[in-house]
Amino acid sequence: MPVGTRATVKTLSPKEIEEVGSEIILGNTYHLYLRPGHELIQKAGGIHQFMGWKKPVLTDSGGFQVMSLKGLRKITPEGVRFQSHIDGSYHFFSPEKVMEIQNALGADIIMSFDECPPYPATKKYVSESLKLTLDWAKRGKIAHQNSKQALFGIVQGGVFEDLRQESAERLMEMDFPGYSIGGLAVGESKENMLKITKFLNKILPKNKPRYLMGVGTPLDLLNNIENGIDMFDCVMPTRNARKGTIFTSKGKMIIKSARYKEDIAPIDEDCKCYACRNFSRAYIRHLFSVDEILGMRLATIHSLHFYLKLIKAARKAIIESNFKKFKNKVALEIGSEKIV
Amino acid sequence: MPVGTRATVKTLSPKEIEEVGSEIILGNTYHLYLRPGHELIQKAGGIHQFMGWKKPVLTDSGGFQVMSLKGLRKITPEGVRFQSHIDGSYHFFSPEKVMEIQNALGADIIMSFDECPPYPATKKYVSESLKLTLDWAKRGKIAHQNSKQALFGIVQGGVFEDLRQESAERLMEMDFPGYSIGGLAVGESKENMLKITKFLNKILPKNKPRYLMGVGTPLDLLNNIENGIDMFDCVMPTRNARKGTIFTSKGKMIIKSARYKEDIAPIDEDCKCYACRNFSRAYIRHLFSVDEILGMRLATIHSLHFYLKLIKAARKAIIESNFKKFKNKVALEIGSEKIV
């Protein structure tokens, strides 16, 4: 899922989001609540109508964002009191309030309000946080009154397998239509991240989607798909693209590099995206070097197209019982941090 | 002609430039010479190929830009020595050099190197400047060796009718395929600008295009079309759009204004552009208020579409011998500085 924090996938039009192959995008409840406000979006006919995007949308719970407001927020069993990062104004998110906001935004898939513990955190902290998140999940499920929106529970528990198991099992008792895995990609090692998704693969129901929040590099996606993950969101392809780092089938390309100054090849020879069909590395490098917005647009288009093509290829490989081979081939070609 | 200073019409893709109805765009010789350099663009196959734009391109002579580098440039009969505004490096533009650059860029229509006198300037200054510009036009014509590029002469002479007449007649003796009118919209009154275009209308040949450089508001265009002008370029629609001032059929719209916060109508009810077909004022205002690039894109798309539709309507009105009535109707609807 490309990330459309403020009802726009940065630099792209909805037409382009569709053209790169997106089937669903993510919006951020915290940001949309503050600006332009969920009532306004509801009045405009919901998030799809407001932003001109006809396909599915998922909204997060805002939990991750308000927890990140260190010093500006206070957690109580009732919910979280926080100050806006924009103007310092005071607000309160409870599981019920977050459902009210997400019901108003009208996304197709919505999230339970959760506490995402920091990393590192003691087992005691994570365990207590988990109880809160489970209680909030229950309250959110009761408050959620729109059968057209699928509410996912969020599995927490840090890097502790027993806590993850407890979290998953309690949520499964509540019977959500899908399960998110939160609290990863927050600073722990890749080994720990994969250990947890592999562990949860044995526990979570096979017939319901599993969504790993905030991950990651192309190889992170494949490694986690191998561990049973179905859905991802990450700002990496779009944010890196805007800064001139483009994901390609051969690794990461730093397009501002002098080596591309006179390079009239497309970003990626085998790619069929709008950027690769029409423009050279030299042109896109020029756009970046003179700070022209079209550069960020073309880099974003290519990187998202690359990510989504990778995911489609992974799906195909799974269907053809060929995933392991596929993953190893991609890993060889891309490398995890390889710069082309 | 939308302005594509650095081989991109700011915020838009070539596909969008075409979709808004552009038949030709302008590129700036001074800027392209400095970055990425005309040799690179030539190596990439010329400006069309480099930027992925298949339709005609016009390049200016760079004269206006180097003359604007007050304190960083010295004019001699040979040409202009100047320092780059980017890094202070020294460069020299002569009529021959400017032809070499424009030949390399490969635009369909190119301009003679000219001195654009400041406003106000004494008649003596303008008269001497004019002699230089005429000499440079002659030298440029000799140096221009590409029959696929139409070289226009530039009429100068400030707000002095006799000097304008001299300029036009000397250039007509050299027999250019088209004539540009420079040195207007540089600070003189609208009355003075219109006085000069009206005056030149009687002098310039009827069977060749006349291009008024750097003009202007929608009404400026119509008033000058009435005075026989065929071509315009101006950053106004694109630059204003990026700052949130959008041209509409009812006047200028300051989209950031609080009055549009909950306004779910499109920018312009009667408009068929991508922005008006898909998005509300409330959404575009939201994008501007959170500094999202899509806001600038949509505002630019609408404003260019509006300008180009206006020009097409003007052409139709001329063909139907209905121009005066058409102009008066538009003037009533838009006003010259009316804010909707």
Side-chain angles (χ1 to χ4, degrees):
Chain A
M1 295 180 284
V3 175
T5 297
R6 299 186 290 203
T8 167
V9 173
K10 285 186 192 298
T11 84
L12 299 193
S13 69
K15 192 157 72 172
E16 288 163 334
I17 307 171
E18 189 165 348
E19 280 169 5
V20 297
S22 314
E23 296 174 358
I24 175 171
I25 61 172
L26 176 141
N28 287 114
T29 290
Y30 168 79
H31 293 282
L32 294 171
Y33 160 79
L34 290 177
R35 294 187 300 193
H38 56 294
E39 295 99 339
L40 172 60
I41 290 180
Q42 185 170 37
K43 206 176 282 183
I47 183 84
H48 304 78
Q49 181 73 18
F50 182 61
M51 68 178 289
W53 170 252
K54 310 276 188 288
K55 295 193 172 189
V57 177
L58 178 151
T59 46
D60 65 4
S61 69
F64 183 80
Q65 278 75 23
V66 297
M67 303 308 161
S68 311
L69 296 168
K70 299 258 148 83
L72 292 176
R73 50 87 174 151
K74 191 175 179 332
I75 306 172
T76 68
E78 253 324 287
V80 182
R81 183 172 161 80
F82 63 94
Q83 283 180 269
S84 157
H85 72 286
I86 303 161
D87 61 6
S89 55
Y90 284 92
H91 302 268
F92 187 74
F93 271 7
S94 64
E96 293 80 12
K97 178 72 187 178
V98 161
M99 283 307 114
E100 178 199 321
I101 297 168
Q102 291 188 92
N103 291 161
L105 294 174
D108 305 273
I109 303 175
I110 64 178
M111 295 296 127
S112 292
F113 193 48
D114 63 324
E115 193 203 342
C116 178
Y119 183 87
T122 62
K123 189 161 183 180
K124 183 161 177 289
Y125 182 96
V126 177
S127 171
E128 276 164 22
S129 162
L130 179 58
K131 285 187 182 54
L132 196 64
T133 291
L134 287 170
D135 179 53
W136 288 357
K138 196 171 292 177
R139 283 167 52 191
K141 198 161 191 300
I142 293 166
H144 175 52
Q145 292 301 335
N146 184 340
S147 63
K148 288 187 179 162
Q149 297 179 293
L151 170 63
F152 282 23
I154 303 181
V155 179
Q156 290 287 357
V159 293
F160 307 103
E161 292 187 349
D162 52 345
L163 296 183
R164 287 283 176 180
Q165 178 163 8
E166 184 190 343
S167 175
E169 288 175 350
R170 290 299 84 72
L171 290 172
M172 285 158 67
E173 287 165 14
M174 298 182 215
D175 192 25
F176 286 94
Y179 297 90
S180 305
I181 301 173
L184 291 179
V186 292
E188 80 288 352
S189 67
K190 300 242 176 194
E191 289 69 28
N192 269 335
M193 173 174 73
L194 290 168
K195 187 189 75 174
I196 294 300
T197 53
K198 191 169 187 177
F199 176 76
L200 286 170
N201 194 14
K202 296 176 294 189
I203 299 172
L204 291 170
K206 291 211 185 312
N207 61 338
K208 291 185 175 178
R210 297 116 175 241
Y211 159 33
L212 179 57
M213 307 175 91
V215 173
T217 69
L219 277 193
D220 287 340
L221 303 195
L222 298 188
N223 285 326
N224 282 297
I225 286 172
E226 193 167 23
N227 288 351
I229 302 297
D230 303 297
M231 300 168 64
F232 301 91
D233 78 285
C234 193
V235 294
M236 195 174 280
T238 43
R239 182 177 290 166
N240 284 13
R242 291 197 308 282
K243 296 180 179 188
T245 297
I246 306 178
F247 289 95
T248 82
S249 62
K250 307 282 187 296
K252 287 193 283 188
M253 176 177 283
I254 316 293
I255 194 66
K256 286 188 198 179
S257 162
R259 62 189 289 193
Y260 301 121
K261 194 171 191 313
E262 306 199 349
D263 188 341
I264 58 169
I267 295 172
D268 206 331
E269 303 273 3
D270 305 324
C271 180
K272 301 276 183 289
C273 81
Y274 176 69
C276 290
R277 279 187 285 113
N278 293 281
F279 307 96
S280 64
R281 294 166 182 172
Y283 180 62
I284 298 171
R285 180 186 182 275
H286 160 66
L287 293 175
F288 270 99
S289 71
V290 297
D291 287 325
E292 286 284 357
I293 281 170
L294 183 59
M296 296 199 285
R297 286 181 57 188
L298 296 175
T300 302
I301 285 172
H302 174 78
S303 286
L304 280 182
H305 185 267
F306 169 74
Y307 259 67
L308 292 159
K309 199 171 62 171
L310 184 72
I311 294 288
K312 285 188 178 78
R315 188 188 297 146
K316 185 162 173 281
I318 292 169
I319 292 166
E320 294 170 353
S321 306
N322 199 25
F323 184 79
K324 199 121 202 165
K325 206 176 143 194
F326 165 77
K327 194 194 88 171
N328 291 337
K329 183 169 164 283
V330 173
L332 261 175
E333 286 165 358
I334 300 185
S336 66
E337 299 294 331
K338 202 176 102 186
I339 307 286
V340 288
Chain B
M1 294 180 286
V3 175
T5 298
R6 300 186 288 204
T8 167
V9 174
K10 285 186 191 300
T11 83
L12 298 194
S13 69
K15 193 158 71 172
E16 288 162 335
I17 308 171
E18 190 166 348
E19 281 169 6
V20 297
S22 314
E23 295 175 359
I24 175 171
I25 61 171
L26 176 142
N28 288 113
T29 289
Y30 168 79
H31 293 282
L32 294 171
Y33 160 80
L34 290 178
R35 294 188 301 191
H38 55 295
E39 296 99 339
L40 172 60
I41 290 180
Q42 186 169 39
K43 207 176 284 184
I47 183 84
H48 304 77
Q49 182 73 15
F50 182 62
M51 68 177 290
W53 169 252
K54 311 276 188 288
K55 296 193 172 187
V57 177
L58 178 150
T59 45
D60 65 4
S61 69
F64 183 79
Q65 278 76 23
V66 295
M67 303 308 160
S68 311
L69 296 169
K70 298 259 148 84
L72 291 177
R73 51 85 174 153
K74 189 176 179 334
I75 306 172
T76 68
E78 253 323 288
V80 182
R81 183 171 161 81
F82 63 94
Q83 283 181 269
S84 156
H85 72 286
I86 302 161
D87 61 7
S89 55
Y90 285 91
H91 303 267
F92 187 74
F93 272 7
S94 64
E96 293 79 12
K97 179 70 186 177
V98 161
M99 283 307 116
E100 179 198 321
I101 298 168
Q102 290 188 92
N103 290 161
L105 295 174
D108 306 272
I109 302 175
I110 65 178
M111 296 295 128
S112 293
F113 193 49
D114 62 324
E115 194 204 341
C116 177
Y119 183 88
T122 62
K123 189 162 183 181
K124 182 161 179 290
Y125 183 96
V126 177
S127 171
E128 275 163 23
S129 162
L130 180 58
K131 285 186 181 55
L132 197 63
T133 291
L134 286 170
D135 180 52
W136 287 357
K138 198 171 289 176
R139 283 166 54 191
K141 197 159 191 298
I142 293 165
H144 175 50
Q145 291 302 334
N146 183 340
S147 64
K148 287 187 179 161
Q149 297 179 293
L151 171 62
F152 282 23
I154 303 182
V155 179
Q156 289 287 356
V159 293
F160 307 103
E161 291 187 351
D162 52 345
L163 296 183
R164 287 283 174 180
Q165 178 162 7
E166 184 189 343
S167 175
E169 288 175 351
R170 292 297 86 72
L171 289 172
M172 285 158 66
E173 286 164 15
M174 298 181 216
D175 192 24
F176 286 93
Y179 297 91
S180 305
I181 300 172
L184 291 179
V186 291
E188 81 287 352
S189 68
K190 300 241 177 196
E191 289 69 27
N192 269 334
M193 173 174 73
L194 290 169
K195 186 190 76 175
I196 294 299
T197 54
K198 190 169 188 176
F199 176 75
L200 286 170
N201 194 15
K202 297 175 293 188
I203 298 172
L204 291 170
K206 292 211 186 311
N207 61 337
K208 292 185 174 178
R210 298 118 177 242
Y211 159 34
L212 178 58
M213 307 176 91
V215 173
T217 68
L219 276 192
D220 287 339
L221 303 195
L222 297 188
N223 286 326
N224 282 295
I225 287 172
E226 193 168 21
N227 289 351
I229 301 297
D230 302 297
M231 301 168 62
F232 300 91
D233 78 286
C234 193
V235 295
M236 195 174 280
T238 44
R239 181 176 291 166
N240 284 14
R242 291 198 308 284
K243 297 182 178 186
T245 298
I246 306 177
F247 289 96
T248 81
S249 62
K250 306 282 188 297
K252 287 193 283 188
M253 177 178 282
I254 316 294
I255 194 65
K256 286 189 198 177
S257 161
R259 63 190 286 195
Y260 301 121
K261 195 170 192 306
E262 307 198 348
D263 188 341
I264 58 169
I267 295 172
D268 205 332
E269 304 272 4
D270 305 324
C271 179
K272 300 277 183 289
C273 82
Y274 176 68
C276 290
R277 277 185 287 112
N278 293 282
F279 306 96
S280 63
R281 294 167 182 172
Y283 180 62
I284 298 171
R285 179 185 184 275
H286 161 66
L287 293 175
F288 270 99
S289 70
V290 295
D291 288 324
E292 285 284 357
I293 281 170
L294 183 59
M296 295 197 287
R297 288 181 56 187
L298 296 175
T300 301
I301 285 173
H302 174 78
S303 286
L304 280 182
H305 184 268
F306 170 74
Y307 259 68
L308 292 160
K309 199 171 62 172
L310 184 72
I311 294 288
K312 285 188 179 78
R315 188 188 297 146
K316 187 164 172 280
I318 292 168
I319 292 167
E320 294 171 354
S321 306
N322 198 24
F323 184 79
K324 200 121 199 165
K325 205 175 145 195
F326 165 77
K327 195 194 87 171
N328 290 338
K329 183 169 164 282
V330 173
L332 261 177
E333 285 165 358
I334 300 185
S336 65
E337 299 293 329
K338 202 176 103 187
I339 308 285
V340 288

